[in-house]
PDB file of all heavy atoms in Angstrom:
ATOM      1  N   SER A   4      29.089   1.636 -25.164  1.00  0.00           N
ATOM      2  CA  SER A   4      29.847   2.709 -24.579  1.00  0.00           C
ATOM      3  C   SER A   4      29.474   2.904 -23.115  1.00  0.00           C
ATOM      4  O   SER A   4      28.299   2.888 -22.794  1.00  0.00           O
ATOM      5  CB  SER A   4      29.636   3.992 -25.369  1.00  0.00           C
ATOM      6  OG  SER A   4      30.087   3.884 -26.696  1.00  0.00           O
ATOM      7  N   THR A   5      30.457   3.084 -22.269  1.00  0.00           N
ATOM      8  CA  THR A   5      30.173   3.148 -20.855  1.00  0.00           C
ATOM      9  C   THR A   5      30.605   4.515 -20.248  1.00  0.00           C
ATOM     10  O   THR A   5      31.451   5.220 -20.775  1.00  0.00           O
ATOM     11  CB  THR A   5      30.954   2.038 -20.078  1.00  0.00           C
ATOM     12  OG1 THR A   5      32.376   2.172 -20.356  1.00  0.00           O
ATOM     13  CG2 THR A   5      30.544   0.695 -20.587  1.00  0.00           C
ATOM     14  N   ASN A   6      30.003   4.781 -19.113  1.00  0.00           N
ATOM     15  CA  ASN A   6      30.325   5.961 -18.348  1.00  0.00           C
ATOM     16  C   ASN A   6      30.174   5.650 -16.865  1.00  0.00           C
ATOM     17  O   ASN A   6      29.232   4.953 -16.495  1.00  0.00           O
ATOM     18  CB  ASN A   6      29.387   7.136 -18.739  1.00  0.00           C
ATOM     19  CG  ASN A   6      29.737   8.436 -18.064  1.00  0.00           C
ATOM     20  OD1 ASN A   6      30.864   8.897 -18.174  1.00  0.00           O
ATOM     21  ND2 ASN A   6      28.806   9.064 -17.387  1.00  0.00           N
ATOM     22  N   TYR A   7      31.099   6.134 -16.046  1.00  0.00           N
ATOM     23  CA  TYR A   7      31.147   5.823 -14.659  1.00  0.00           C
ATOM     24  C   TYR A   7      31.246   7.094 -13.800  1.00  0.00           C
ATOM     25  O   TYR A   7      31.864   8.061 -14.223  1.00  0.00           O
ATOM     26  CB  TYR A   7      32.330   4.917 -14.319  1.00  0.00           C
ATOM     27  CG  TYR A   7      32.326   3.572 -14.983  1.00  0.00           C
ATOM     28  CD1 TYR A   7      32.966   3.389 -16.211  1.00  0.00           C
ATOM     29  CD2 TYR A   7      31.695   2.505 -14.360  1.00  0.00           C
ATOM     30  CE1 TYR A   7      32.941   2.154 -16.824  1.00  0.00           C
ATOM     31  CE2 TYR A   7      31.682   1.272 -14.985  1.00  0.00           C
ATOM     32  CZ  TYR A   7      32.319   1.098 -16.234  1.00  0.00           C
ATOM     33  OH  TYR A   7      32.342  -0.155 -16.828  1.00  0.00           O
ATOM     34  N   ALA A   8      30.637   7.025 -12.682  1.00  0.00           N
ATOM     35  CA  ALA A   8      30.868   8.052 -11.659  1.00  0.00           C
ATOM     36  C   ALA A   8      32.348   7.966 -11.209  1.00  0.00           C
ATOM     37  O   ALA A   8      32.924   6.909 -11.148  1.00  0.00           O
ATOM     38  CB  ALA A   8      29.936   7.837 -10.483  1.00  0.00           C
ATOM     39  N   ASP A   9      32.892   9.152 -10.895  1.00  0.00           N
ATOM     40  CA  ASP A   9      34.298   9.193 -10.471  1.00  0.00           C
ATOM     41  C   ASP A   9      34.574   8.281  -9.254  1.00  0.00           C
ATOM     42  O   ASP A   9      35.638   7.679  -9.174  1.00  0.00           O
ATOM     43  CB  ASP A   9      34.698  10.583 -10.150  1.00  0.00           C
ATOM     44  CG  ASP A   9      34.855  11.444 -11.381  1.00  0.00           C
ATOM     45  OD1 ASP A   9      34.988  10.911 -12.495  1.00  0.00           O
ATOM     46  OD2 ASP A   9      34.814  12.687 -11.279  1.00  0.00           O
ATOM     47  N   SER A  10      33.574   8.162  -8.384  1.00  0.00           N
ATOM     48  CA  SER A  10      33.803   7.393  -7.157  1.00  0.00           C
ATOM     49  C   SER A  10      33.931   5.887  -7.415  1.00  0.00           C
ATOM     50  O   SER A  10      34.368   5.179  -6.468  1.00  0.00           O
ATOM     51  CB  SER A  10      32.638   7.652  -6.210  1.00  0.00           C
ATOM     52  OG  SER A  10      31.400   7.269  -6.769  1.00  0.00           O
ATOM     53  N   VAL A  11      33.538   5.423  -8.550  1.00  0.00           N
ATOM     54  CA  VAL A  11      33.625   3.958  -8.778  1.00  0.00           C
ATOM     55  C   VAL A  11      34.548   3.617  -9.978  1.00  0.00           C
ATOM     56  O   VAL A  11      34.706   2.421 -10.215  1.00  0.00           O
ATOM     57  CB  VAL A  11      32.200   3.372  -9.070  1.00  0.00           C
ATOM     58  CG1 VAL A  11      31.250   3.757  -7.909  1.00  0.00           C
ATOM     59  CG2 VAL A  11      31.650   3.864 -10.419  1.00  0.00           C
ATOM     60  N   LYS A  12      35.100   4.573 -10.642  1.00  0.00           N
ATOM     61  CA  LYS A  12      35.988   4.315 -11.755  1.00  0.00           C
ATOM     62  C   LYS A  12      37.150   3.463 -11.326  1.00  0.00           C
ATOM     63  O   LYS A  12      37.771   3.677 -10.280  1.00  0.00           O
ATOM     64  CB  LYS A  12      36.487   5.610 -12.371  1.00  0.00           C
ATOM     65  CG  LYS A  12      35.497   6.307 -13.244  1.00  0.00           C
ATOM     66  CD  LYS A  12      36.070   7.574 -13.862  1.00  0.00           C
ATOM     67  CE  LYS A  12      35.071   8.266 -14.740  1.00  0.00           C
ATOM     68  NZ  LYS A  12      35.622   9.522 -15.338  1.00  0.00           N
ATOM     69  N   GLY A  13      37.467   2.418 -12.104  1.00  0.00           N
ATOM     70  CA  GLY A  13      38.536   1.534 -11.762  1.00  0.00           C
ATOM     71  C   GLY A  13      38.126   0.404 -10.842  1.00  0.00           C
ATOM     72  O   GLY A  13      38.917  -0.535 -10.675  1.00  0.00           O
ATOM     73  N   ARG A  14      36.964   0.460 -10.258  1.00  0.00           N
ATOM     74  CA  ARG A  14      36.486  -0.581  -9.309  1.00  0.00           C
ATOM     75  C   ARG A  14      35.248  -1.306  -9.887  1.00  0.00           C
ATOM     76  O   ARG A  14      35.146  -2.488  -9.660  1.00  0.00           O
ATOM     77  CB  ARG A  14      36.177   0.023  -7.968  1.00  0.00           C
ATOM     78  CG  ARG A  14      37.340   0.709  -7.284  1.00  0.00           C
ATOM     79  CD  ARG A  14      36.998   1.044  -5.846  1.00  0.00           C
ATOM     80  NE  ARG A  14      35.942   2.033  -5.785  1.00  0.00           N
ATOM     81  CZ  ARG A  14      34.796   1.834  -5.095  1.00  0.00           C
ATOM     82  NH1 ARG A  14      34.579   0.702  -4.511  1.00  0.00           N
ATOM     83  NH2 ARG A  14      33.875   2.792  -5.071  1.00  0.00           N
ATOM     84  N   PHE A  15      34.349  -0.595 -10.541  1.00  0.00           N
ATOM     85  CA  PHE A  15      33.121  -1.175 -11.003  1.00  0.00           C
ATOM     86  C   PHE A  15      33.193  -1.365 -12.539  1.00  0.00           C
ATOM     87  O   PHE A  15      33.788  -0.550 -13.235  1.00  0.00           O
ATOM     88  CB  PHE A  15      31.909  -0.296 -10.648  1.00  0.00           C
ATOM     89  CG  PHE A  15      31.590  -0.234  -9.217  1.00  0.00           C
ATOM     90  CD1 PHE A  15      32.427  -0.744  -8.247  1.00  0.00           C
ATOM     91  CD2 PHE A  15      30.387   0.405  -8.870  1.00  0.00           C
ATOM     92  CE1 PHE A  15      32.100  -0.669  -6.915  1.00  0.00           C
ATOM     93  CE2 PHE A  15      30.039   0.434  -7.478  1.00  0.00           C
ATOM     94  CZ  PHE A  15      30.917  -0.062  -6.530  1.00  0.00           C
ATOM     95  N   THR A  16      32.511  -2.334 -13.046  1.00  0.00           N
ATOM     96  CA  THR A  16      32.387  -2.563 -14.481  1.00  0.00           C
ATOM     97  C   THR A  16      30.958  -2.840 -14.835  1.00  0.00           C
ATOM     98  O   THR A  16      30.322  -3.784 -14.276  1.00  0.00           O
ATOM     99  CB  THR A  16      33.276  -3.740 -14.932  1.00  0.00           C
ATOM    100  OG1 THR A  16      34.634  -3.492 -14.586  1.00  0.00           O
ATOM    101  CG2 THR A  16      33.171  -3.913 -16.425  1.00  0.00           C
ATOM    102  N   ILE A  17      30.406  -2.050 -15.746  1.00  0.00           N
ATOM    103  CA  ILE A  17      29.056  -2.321 -16.267  1.00  0.00           C
ATOM    104  C   ILE A  17      29.143  -3.001 -17.601  1.00  0.00           C
ATOM    105  O   ILE A  17      30.054  -2.703 -18.433  1.00  0.00           O
ATOM    106  CB  ILE A  17      28.303  -0.966 -16.369  1.00  0.00           C
ATOM    107  CG1 ILE A  17      26.804  -1.196 -16.715  1.00  0.00           C
ATOM    108  CG2 ILE A  17      28.888  -0.024 -17.379  1.00  0.00           C
ATOM    109  CD1 ILE A  17      25.940   0.005 -16.618  1.00  0.00           C
ATOM    110  N   SER A  18      28.262  -3.919 -17.835  1.00  0.00           N
ATOM    111  CA  SER A  18      28.168  -4.594 -19.115  1.00  0.00           C
ATOM    112  C   SER A  18      26.750  -4.985 -19.404  1.00  0.00           C
ATOM    113  O   SER A  18      25.880  -4.881 -18.549  1.00  0.00           O
ATOM    114  CB  SER A  18      29.071  -5.879 -19.072  1.00  0.00           C
ATOM    115  OG  SER A  18      28.629  -6.778 -18.089  1.00  0.00           O
ATOM    116  N   ARG A  19      26.488  -5.445 -20.605  1.00  0.00           N
ATOM    117  CA  ARG A  19      25.107  -5.820 -20.982  1.00  0.00           C
ATOM    118  C   ARG A  19      25.126  -6.962 -21.985  1.00  0.00           C
ATOM    119  O   ARG A  19      26.102  -7.131 -22.769  1.00  0.00           O
ATOM    120  CB  ARG A  19      24.355  -4.591 -21.532  1.00  0.00           C
ATOM    121  CG  ARG A  19      24.866  -4.073 -22.856  1.00  0.00           C
ATOM    122  CD  ARG A  19      24.180  -2.713 -23.204  1.00  0.00           C
ATOM    123  NE  ARG A  19      22.840  -2.932 -23.639  1.00  0.00           N
ATOM    124  CZ  ARG A  19      21.962  -1.921 -23.821  1.00  0.00           C
ATOM    125  NH1 ARG A  19      22.302  -0.679 -23.555  1.00  0.00           N
ATOM    126  NH2 ARG A  19      20.729  -2.197 -24.261  1.00  0.00           N
ATOM    127  N   ASP A  20      24.045  -7.655 -22.058  1.00  0.00           N
ATOM    128  CA  ASP A  20      23.826  -8.699 -23.016  1.00  0.00           C
ATOM    129  C   ASP A  20      22.491  -8.372 -23.673  1.00  0.00           C
ATOM    130  O   ASP A  20      21.411  -8.525 -23.127  1.00  0.00           O
ATOM    131  CB  ASP A  20      23.744 -10.065 -22.341  1.00  0.00           C
ATOM    132  CG  ASP A  20      23.637 -11.192 -23.345  1.00  0.00           C
ATOM    133  OD1 ASP A  20      23.135 -10.970 -24.444  1.00  0.00           O
ATOM    134  OD2 ASP A  20      24.076 -12.329 -23.003  1.00  0.00           O
ATOM    135  N   ASN A  21      22.578  -7.811 -24.924  1.00  0.00           N
ATOM    136  CA  ASN A  21      21.361  -7.350 -25.584  1.00  0.00           C
ATOM    137  C   ASN A  21      20.392  -8.487 -25.890  1.00  0.00           C
ATOM    138  O   ASN A  21      19.196  -8.286 -25.896  1.00  0.00           O
ATOM    139  CB  ASN A  21      21.755  -6.588 -26.848  1.00  0.00           C
ATOM    140  CG  ASN A  21      22.424  -5.265 -26.579  1.00  0.00           C
ATOM    141  OD1 ASN A  21      22.257  -4.668 -25.511  1.00  0.00           O
ATOM    142  ND2 ASN A  21      23.218  -4.788 -27.534  1.00  0.00           N
ATOM    143  N   ALA A  22      20.943  -9.614 -26.191  1.00  0.00           N
ATOM    144  CA  ALA A  22      20.065 -10.762 -26.504  1.00  0.00           C
ATOM    145  C   ALA A  22      19.255 -11.182 -25.309  1.00  0.00           C
ATOM    146  O   ALA A  22      18.156 -11.776 -25.466  1.00  0.00           O
ATOM    147  CB  ALA A  22      20.923 -11.975 -27.028  1.00  0.00           C
ATOM    148  N   LYS A  23      19.764 -10.938 -24.084  1.00  0.00           N
ATOM    149  CA  LYS A  23      19.072 -11.312 -22.894  1.00  0.00           C
ATOM    150  C   LYS A  23      18.388 -10.158 -22.189  1.00  0.00           C
ATOM    151  O   LYS A  23      17.789 -10.315 -21.164  1.00  0.00           O
ATOM    152  CB  LYS A  23      20.044 -11.983 -21.892  1.00  0.00           C
ATOM    153  CG  LYS A  23      20.628 -13.268 -22.430  1.00  0.00           C
ATOM    154  CD  LYS A  23      21.591 -13.873 -21.352  1.00  0.00           C
ATOM    155  CE  LYS A  23      22.155 -15.197 -21.853  1.00  0.00           C
ATOM    156  NZ  LYS A  23      23.111 -15.757 -20.867  1.00  0.00           N
ATOM    157  N   ASN A  24      18.510  -8.947 -22.778  1.00  0.00           N
ATOM    158  CA  ASN A  24      17.927  -7.749 -22.188  1.00  0.00           C
ATOM    159  C   ASN A  24      18.408  -7.611 -20.753  1.00  0.00           C
ATOM    160  O   ASN A  24      17.604  -7.240 -19.863  1.00  0.00           O
ATOM    161  CB  ASN A  24      16.412  -7.741 -22.279  1.00  0.00           C
ATOM    162  CG  ASN A  24      15.918  -7.609 -23.699  1.00  0.00           C
ATOM    163  OD1 ASN A  24      16.548  -6.931 -24.522  1.00  0.00           O
ATOM    164  ND2 ASN A  24      14.796  -8.209 -23.973  1.00  0.00           N
ATOM    165  N   THR A  25      19.651  -7.770 -20.520  1.00  0.00           N
ATOM    166  CA  THR A  25      20.213  -7.824 -19.182  1.00  0.00           C
ATOM    167  C   THR A  25      21.397  -6.881 -19.075  1.00  0.00           C
ATOM    168  O   THR A  25      22.235  -6.878 -19.945  1.00  0.00           O
ATOM    169  CB  THR A  25      20.587  -9.242 -18.763  1.00  0.00           C
ATOM    170  OG1 THR A  25      19.439 -10.092 -18.831  1.00  0.00           O
ATOM    171  CG2 THR A  25      21.176  -9.275 -17.379  1.00  0.00           C
ATOM    172  N   VAL A  26      21.485  -6.201 -17.948  1.00  0.00           N
ATOM    173  CA  VAL A  26      22.641  -5.381 -17.666  1.00  0.00           C
ATOM    174  C   VAL A  26      23.230  -5.856 -16.319  1.00  0.00           C
ATOM    175  O   VAL A  26      22.536  -6.288 -15.442  1.00  0.00           O
ATOM    176  CB  VAL A  26      22.257  -3.855 -17.535  1.00  0.00           C
ATOM    177  CG1 VAL A  26      21.245  -3.618 -16.416  1.00  0.00           C
ATOM    178  CG2 VAL A  26      23.503  -3.001 -17.398  1.00  0.00           C
ATOM    179  N   TYR A  27      24.581  -5.778 -16.251  1.00  0.00           N
ATOM    180  CA  TYR A  27      25.315  -6.267 -15.118  1.00  0.00           C
ATOM    181  C   TYR A  27      26.161  -5.174 -14.509  1.00  0.00           C
ATOM    182  O   TYR A  27      26.593  -4.221 -15.203  1.00  0.00           O
ATOM    183  CB  TYR A  27      26.202  -7.432 -15.468  1.00  0.00           C
ATOM    184  CG  TYR A  27      25.519  -8.555 -16.265  1.00  0.00           C
ATOM    185  CD1 TYR A  27      25.443  -8.518 -17.694  1.00  0.00           C
ATOM    186  CD2 TYR A  27      24.959  -9.628 -15.613  1.00  0.00           C
ATOM    187  CE1 TYR A  27      24.822  -9.523 -18.367  1.00  0.00           C
ATOM    188  CE2 TYR A  27      24.359 -10.666 -16.322  1.00  0.00           C
ATOM    189  CZ  TYR A  27      24.311 -10.610 -17.678  1.00  0.00           C
ATOM    190  OH  TYR A  27      23.690 -11.592 -18.396  1.00  0.00           O
ATOM    191  N   LEU A  28      26.469  -5.334 -13.256  1.00  0.00           N
ATOM    192  CA  LEU A  28      27.400  -4.476 -12.598  1.00  0.00           C
ATOM    193  C   LEU A  28      28.296  -5.270 -11.706  1.00  0.00           C
ATOM    194  O   LEU A  28      27.813  -5.901 -10.755  1.00  0.00           O
ATOM    195  CB  LEU A  28      26.675  -3.400 -11.770  1.00  0.00           C
ATOM    196  CG  LEU A  28      27.576  -2.347 -11.118  1.00  0.00           C
ATOM    197  CD1 LEU A  28      28.238  -1.454 -12.237  1.00  0.00           C
ATOM    198  CD2 LEU A  28      26.838  -1.483 -10.100  1.00  0.00           C
ATOM    199  N   LEU A  29      29.582  -5.346 -12.055  1.00  0.00           N
ATOM    200  CA  LEU A  29      30.558  -6.033 -11.230  1.00  0.00           C
ATOM    201  C   LEU A  29      31.272  -5.015 -10.346  1.00  0.00           C
ATOM    202  O   LEU A  29      31.845  -4.065 -10.871  1.00  0.00           O
ATOM    203  CB  LEU A  29      31.566  -6.758 -12.118  1.00  0.00           C
ATOM    204  CG  LEU A  29      32.778  -7.449 -11.405  1.00  0.00           C
ATOM    205  CD1 LEU A  29      32.285  -8.479 -10.428  1.00  0.00           C
ATOM    206  CD2 LEU A  29      33.700  -8.000 -12.424  1.00  0.00           C
ATOM    207  N   MET A  30      31.197  -5.223  -9.051  1.00  0.00           N
ATOM    208  CA  MET A  30      31.736  -4.288  -8.090  1.00  0.00           C
ATOM    209  C   MET A  30      32.938  -4.932  -7.387  1.00  0.00           C
ATOM    210  O   MET A  30      32.749  -5.942  -6.688  1.00  0.00           O
ATOM    211  CB  MET A  30      30.654  -3.871  -7.079  1.00  0.00           C
ATOM    212  CG  MET A  30      29.458  -3.167  -7.729  1.00  0.00           C
ATOM    213  SD  MET A  30      28.125  -2.793  -6.555  1.00  0.00           S
ATOM    214  CE  MET A  30      27.413  -4.427  -6.407  1.00  0.00           C
ATOM    215  N   ASN A  31      34.100  -4.389  -7.574  1.00  0.00           N
ATOM    216  CA  ASN A  31      35.275  -4.842  -6.898  1.00  0.00           C
ATOM    217  C   ASN A  31      35.775  -3.834  -5.913  1.00  0.00           C
ATOM    218  O   ASN A  31      35.441  -2.662  -5.911  1.00  0.00           O
ATOM    219  CB  ASN A  31      36.399  -5.104  -7.946  1.00  0.00           C
ATOM    220  CG  ASN A  31      36.069  -6.264  -8.877  1.00  0.00           C
ATOM    221  OD1 ASN A  31      35.534  -7.297  -8.422  1.00  0.00           O
ATOM    222  ND2 ASN A  31      36.392  -6.096 -10.173  1.00  0.00           N
ATOM    223  N   SER A  32      36.646  -4.260  -5.008  1.00  0.00           N
ATOM    224  CA  SER A  32      37.270  -3.411  -3.993  1.00  0.00           C
ATOM    225  C   SER A  32      36.173  -2.532  -3.288  1.00  0.00           C
ATOM    226  O   SER A  32      36.354  -1.297  -3.165  1.00  0.00           O
ATOM    227  CB  SER A  32      38.307  -2.524  -4.655  1.00  0.00           C
ATOM    228  OG  SER A  32      39.316  -3.285  -5.300  1.00  0.00           O
ATOM    229  N   LEU A  33      35.178  -3.164  -2.834  1.00  0.00           N
ATOM    230  CA  LEU A  33      34.051  -2.486  -2.260  1.00  0.00           C
ATOM    231  C   LEU A  33      34.445  -1.770  -0.935  1.00  0.00           C
ATOM    232  O   LEU A  33      35.244  -2.256  -0.160  1.00  0.00           O
ATOM    233  CB  LEU A  33      32.878  -3.422  -1.980  1.00  0.00           C
ATOM    234  CG  LEU A  33      32.093  -3.800  -3.245  1.00  0.00           C
ATOM    235  CD1 LEU A  33      31.292  -5.065  -2.982  1.00  0.00           C
ATOM    236  CD2 LEU A  33      31.210  -2.668  -3.631  1.00  0.00           C
ATOM    237  N   LYS A  34      33.847  -0.630  -0.755  1.00  0.00           N
ATOM    238  CA  LYS A  34      34.073   0.227   0.406  1.00  0.00           C
ATOM    239  C   LYS A  34      32.763   0.412   1.178  1.00  0.00           C
ATOM    240  O   LYS A  34      31.700   0.299   0.578  1.00  0.00           O
ATOM    241  CB  LYS A  34      34.604   1.601  -0.021  1.00  0.00           C
ATOM    242  CG  LYS A  34      35.827   1.560  -0.902  1.00  0.00           C
ATOM    243  CD  LYS A  34      36.199   2.936  -1.368  1.00  0.00           C
ATOM    244  CE  LYS A  34      37.423   2.935  -2.251  1.00  0.00           C
ATOM    245  NZ  LYS A  34      37.770   4.283  -2.759  1.00  0.00           N
ATOM    246  N   PRO A  35      32.821   0.716   2.453  1.00  0.00           N
ATOM    247  CA  PRO A  35      31.585   0.954   3.235  1.00  0.00           C
ATOM    248  C   PRO A  35      30.740   2.058   2.583  1.00  0.00           C
ATOM    249  O   PRO A  35      29.519   1.938   2.656  1.00  0.00           O
ATOM    250  CB  PRO A  35      32.116   1.380   4.612  1.00  0.00           C
ATOM    251  CG  PRO A  35      33.422   0.664   4.735  1.00  0.00           C
ATOM    252  CD  PRO A  35      34.017   0.705   3.360  1.00  0.00           C
ATOM    253  N   GLU A  36      31.327   3.044   1.958  1.00  0.00           N
ATOM    254  CA  GLU A  36      30.561   4.104   1.342  1.00  0.00           C
ATOM    255  C   GLU A  36      29.826   3.655   0.102  1.00  0.00           C
ATOM    256  O   GLU A  36      29.010   4.435  -0.462  1.00  0.00           O
ATOM    257  CB  GLU A  36      31.431   5.314   1.049  1.00  0.00           C
ATOM    258  CG  GLU A  36      32.742   4.972   0.307  1.00  0.00           C
ATOM    259  CD  GLU A  36      33.941   4.848   1.281  1.00  0.00           C
ATOM    260  OE1 GLU A  36      33.795   4.167   2.304  1.00  0.00           O
ATOM    261  OE2 GLU A  36      34.989   5.466   0.936  1.00  0.00           O
ATOM    262  N   ASP A  37      30.071   2.450  -0.384  1.00  0.00           N
ATOM    263  CA  ASP A  37      29.301   1.889  -1.490  1.00  0.00           C
ATOM    264  C   ASP A  37      27.960   1.348  -1.019  1.00  0.00           C
ATOM    265  O   ASP A  37      27.132   0.948  -1.861  1.00  0.00           O
ATOM    266  CB  ASP A  37      30.083   0.784  -2.200  1.00  0.00           C
ATOM    267  CG  ASP A  37      31.330   1.324  -2.871  1.00  0.00           C
ATOM    268  OD1 ASP A  37      31.271   2.367  -3.519  1.00  0.00           O
ATOM    269  OD2 ASP A  37      32.393   0.620  -2.803  1.00  0.00           O
ATOM    270  N   THR A  38      27.737   1.276   0.266  1.00  0.00           N
ATOM    271  CA  THR A  38      26.514   0.734   0.805  1.00  0.00           C
ATOM    272  C   THR A  38      25.339   1.603   0.350  1.00  0.00           C
ATOM    273  O   THR A  38      25.306   2.829   0.569  1.00  0.00           O
ATOM    274  CB  THR A  38      26.527   0.691   2.354  1.00  0.00           C
ATOM    275  OG1 THR A  38      27.572  -0.207   2.801  1.00  0.00           O
ATOM    276  CG2 THR A  38      25.217   0.254   2.950  1.00  0.00           C
ATOM    277  N   ALA A  39      24.358   0.976  -0.244  1.00  0.00           N
ATOM    278  CA  ALA A  39      23.191   1.689  -0.783  1.00  0.00           C
ATOM    279  C   ALA A  39      22.226   0.655  -1.393  1.00  0.00           C
ATOM    280  O   ALA A  39      22.561  -0.505  -1.527  1.00  0.00           O
ATOM    281  CB  ALA A  39      23.612   2.696  -1.884  1.00  0.00           C
ATOM    282  N   VAL A  40      21.072   1.179  -1.729  1.00  0.00           N
ATOM    283  CA  VAL A  40      20.159   0.424  -2.571  1.00  0.00           C
ATOM    284  C   VAL A  40      20.504   0.732  -4.002  1.00  0.00           C
ATOM    285  O   VAL A  40      20.528   1.896  -4.402  1.00  0.00           O
ATOM    286  CB  VAL A  40      18.691   0.723  -2.324  1.00  0.00           C
ATOM    287  CG1 VAL A  40      17.787  -0.021  -3.242  1.00  0.00           C
ATOM    288  CG2 VAL A  40      18.348   0.419  -0.846  1.00  0.00           C
ATOM    289  N   TYR A  41      20.754  -0.302  -4.798  1.00  0.00           N
ATOM    290  CA  TYR A  41      21.137  -0.150  -6.176  1.00  0.00           C
ATOM    291  C   TYR A  41      19.976  -0.373  -7.089  1.00  0.00           C
ATOM    292  O   TYR A  41      19.247  -1.405  -6.960  1.00  0.00           O
ATOM    293  CB  TYR A  41      22.293  -1.110  -6.524  1.00  0.00           C
ATOM    294  CG  TYR A  41      23.628  -0.607  -6.027  1.00  0.00           C
ATOM    295  CD1 TYR A  41      23.883  -0.665  -4.645  1.00  0.00           C
ATOM    296  CD2 TYR A  41      24.602  -0.155  -6.854  1.00  0.00           C
ATOM    297  CE1 TYR A  41      25.074  -0.198  -4.149  1.00  0.00           C
ATOM    298  CE2 TYR A  41      25.793   0.308  -6.373  1.00  0.00           C
ATOM    299  CZ  TYR A  41      26.043   0.265  -5.017  1.00  0.00           C
ATOM    300  OH  TYR A  41      27.278   0.697  -4.519  1.00  0.00           O
ATOM    301  N   TYR A  42      19.679   0.560  -7.974  1.00  0.00           N
ATOM    302  CA  TYR A  42      18.535   0.539  -8.854  1.00  0.00           C
ATOM    303  C   TYR A  42      18.987   0.375 -10.308  1.00  0.00           C
ATOM    304  O   TYR A  42      19.883   1.119 -10.763  1.00  0.00           O
ATOM    305  CB  TYR A  42      17.723   1.786  -8.723  1.00  0.00           C
ATOM    306  CG  TYR A  42      17.072   1.964  -7.390  1.00  0.00           C
ATOM    307  CD1 TYR A  42      17.707   2.695  -6.384  1.00  0.00           C
ATOM    308  CD2 TYR A  42      15.788   1.437  -7.084  1.00  0.00           C
ATOM    309  CE1 TYR A  42      17.133   2.913  -5.131  1.00  0.00           C
ATOM    310  CE2 TYR A  42      15.228   1.639  -5.840  1.00  0.00           C
ATOM    311  CZ  TYR A  42      15.889   2.351  -4.900  1.00  0.00           C
ATOM    312  OH  TYR A  42      15.311   2.557  -3.681  1.00  0.00           O
TER     313      TYR A  42
END
């Protein structure tokens, strides 16, 4: 189950692979205001 900030809805997609203990974030249609350190 996913939840997104309003500012990224429709542009970003979060996913995970439990077998690999890995989470992903696909960022599309990037804007200058997306500039940040991502944690």
Side-chain angles (χ1 to χ4, degrees):
S4 297
T5 59
N6 186 54
Y7 297 91
D9 288 341
S10 60
V11 306
K12 284 182 179 178
R14 300 189 297 122
F15 291 10
T16 302
I17 188 171
S18 61
R19 65 189 287 170
D20 186 334
N21 290 336
K23 297 180 179 179
N24 291 327
T25 300
V26 62
Y27 308 89
L28 185 69
L29 174 61
M30 299 175 284
N31 294 319
S32 302
L33 282 162
K34 305 174 181 179
E36 49 263 47
D37 295 318
T38 296
V40 177
Y41 283 70
Y42 296 92

